[in-house]
Amino acid sequence: MASDQLSVLVTGAGGQLAQCIQKLQPDFDYAFYFKDRKALNITDAASINSALDKLKPDVIINTAAYTQVDLAETETEQAFNINHLGVANLAARCAERVIKLIHISTDYVFDGKLDRPYLETDPTKPQTAYGKSKLAGEHSILEAKLPAFWILRTAWLYSIYGKNFYKTILNLAQSRDELSVVNDQTGAPTQALDLARFILENLPKLNKQNSGIYHYVNSGQATWFDFAKAIIAENGLMTSVIPVASSQYPTAARRPEYSVLANSKIQETFNFSIRHWSEALPGQARV
Ligand SMILES: NC(=O)c1ccc[n+]([C@@H]2O[C@H](COP(=O)([O-])OP(=O)(O)OC[C@H]3O[C@@H](n4cnc5c(N)ncnc54)[C@H](OP(=O)(O)O)[C@@H]3O)[C@@H](O)[C@H]2O)c1
């Protein structure tokens, strides 16, 4: 390994975003280490220390999280344990060892009541246990004396990996003639592979000056109904999609009505352009 090669540790390696990062690994000349929950549990200081002693990464990409939004309403302690204490733990170890940290957060830190895209500077007001636990995680990163960090808030992630809306709709549409999908929640469908590529391409630029919170979502906005229609159309399926109100599908955690994140800060800071969500759809060739 060349001595100037960056070493990058990815936590939560079994998850959706981590698998996207892993897929892109051959395109980047970094020394990569992917650790799943068994190999590196962010709630366990000894587990973090032993991994860091061995791997000595320059940068950690923390994709590890408790992501079950509805279950978090009842498993609140577990959600906080991972999304707050686990993240605080990781951030403290990074600060001690002068390791840069890229952490992923969510649109759920906002209340979802605005009628224009949320800026990084807008006040946070999470409405769910999951959102509160993720916000607490953000705060612990801001408080840790890290050499450099990015908190990347994203939303509506999908890919060929894990469980996500794209895959659910595709599976259902293959076996049904008609699907009902909510049309009163608006967000920005985001290709997880696009976010993974942004992170890997820009990671060498992470420094103290550009440390902070950024929003990364694909451009444009859609309701779940719009997104479902697009998924069905691009896969050449004939399933009809019926728009319905979310009141017909009550969930334990209330979903935000409007949670589009403004992505201009990240585009201006890193001088690139984020494509529209409809252009980011994987197509029949898959991602
Ligand atoms: N998916 C979305 O739509 C979305 C939207 C906004 C923000 N985000 C954020 O984006 C990030 C990545 O999301 P994702 O979709 O890739 O989530 P994901 O597929 O659920 O992956 C999260 C991974 O973290 C692991 N994990 C949980 N607790 C851990 C611990 N204590 N130590 C180490 N690993 C642990 C999980 O392992 P187990 O499988 O063993 O639990 C899982 O493999 C998360 O921070 C999430 O909050 C996601």
Side-chain angles (χ1 to χ4, degrees):
M1 179 178 41
S3 59
D4 58 353
Q5 190 184 38
L6 278 173
S7 70
V8 179
L9 167 60
V10 182
T11 60
Q16 175 177 210
L17 180 60
Q19 289 182 78
C20 289
I21 295 171
Q22 195 150 16
K23 183 180 163 116
L24 298 178
Q25 181 181 358
D27 297 354
F28 293 88
D29 184 24
Y30 308 138
F32 281 101
Y33 305 103
F34 291 90
K35 298 291 169 193
D36 64 12
R37 187 209 281 252
K38 256 198 244 151
L40 196 172
N41 185 332
I42 63 166
T43 64
D44 177 354
S47 167
I48 300 177
N49 278 328
S50 97
L52 300 186
D53 285 346
K54 199 159 128 217
L55 307 173
K56 303 197 185 331
D58 298 305
V59 186
I60 295 179
I61 305 173
N62 180 41
T63 74
Y66 180 104
T67 56
Q68 306 218 50
V69 174
D70 289 316
L71 257 188
E73 295 299 313
T74 44
E75 293 186 355
T76 306
E77 195 179 332
Q78 209 179 321
F80 270 82
N81 197 28
I82 297 169
N83 293 344
H84 177 212
L85 302 180
V87 172
N89 214 353
L90 192 64
R93 304 288 85 76
C94 287
E96 279 162 18
R97 292 166 185 259
V98 200
I99 297 168
K100 298 175 182 180
L101 179 62
I102 298 174
H103 173 72
I104 316 301
S105 193
T106 171
D107 54 327
Y108 279 62
V109 299
F110 295 116
D111 63 8
K113 294 187 166 54
L114 276 191
D115 56 3
R116 51 124 181 109
Y118 281 90
L119 298 165
E120 288 81 350
T121 46
D122 280 324
T124 51
K125 198 175 178 198
Q127 303 291 299
T128 60
Y130 167 74
K132 288 173 189 163
S133 70
K134 292 292 289 183
L135 182 62
E138 288 190 4
H139 287 160
S140 61
I141 290 177
L142 295 172
E143 284 155 18
K145 303 218 167 347
L146 286 159
F149 70 90
W150 291 333
I151 294 169
L152 303 179
R153 291 186 188 137
T154 189
W156 292 33
L157 281 185
Y158 68 91
S159 68
I160 54 164
Y161 305 108
K163 273 199 212 149
N164 57 67
F165 184 83
Y166 188 103
K167 287 173 68 180
T168 303
I169 291 295
L170 187 55
N171 287 337
L172 289 173
Q174 279 160 346
S175 59
R176 294 199 198 163
D177 296 334
E178 192 178 287
L179 287 179
S180 298
V181 181
V182 298
N183 197 29
D184 54 5
Q185 294 166 20
T186 301
T190 298
Q191 166 67 267
L193 212 51
D194 282 11
L195 172 57
R197 189 169 288 284
F198 165 80
I199 293 172
L200 294 181
E201 276 176 0
N202 289 280
L203 181 153
K205 297 180 192 158
L206 169 56
N207 64 26
K208 203 163 192 72
Q209 287 67 42
N210 61 36
S211 288
I213 299 176
Y214 295 91
H215 292 172
Y216 186 106
V217 286
N218 279 119
S219 297
Q221 63 179 50
T223 65
W224 291 115
F225 167 76
D226 299 328
F227 188 21
K229 275 201 311 187
I231 294 165
I232 286 167
E234 74 147 5
N235 284 283
L237 296 164
M238 302 307 289
T239 314
S240 5
V241 190
I242 317 292
V244 293
S246 31
S247 54
Q248 292 190 36
Y249 289 93
T251 47
R254 212 188 140 164
R255 300 297 191 271
E257 275 156 45
Y258 185 87
S259 68
V260 179
L261 300 175
N263 58 12
S264 43
K265 177 184 172 189
I266 201 164
Q267 295 185 84
E268 282 158 21
T269 307
F270 300 101
N271 194 23
F272 78 114
S273 167
I274 301 183
R275 58 186 174 161
H276 194 272
W277 69 266
S278 59
E279 287 161 27
L281 291 168
Q284 285 163 310
R286 308 263 66 80
V287 274

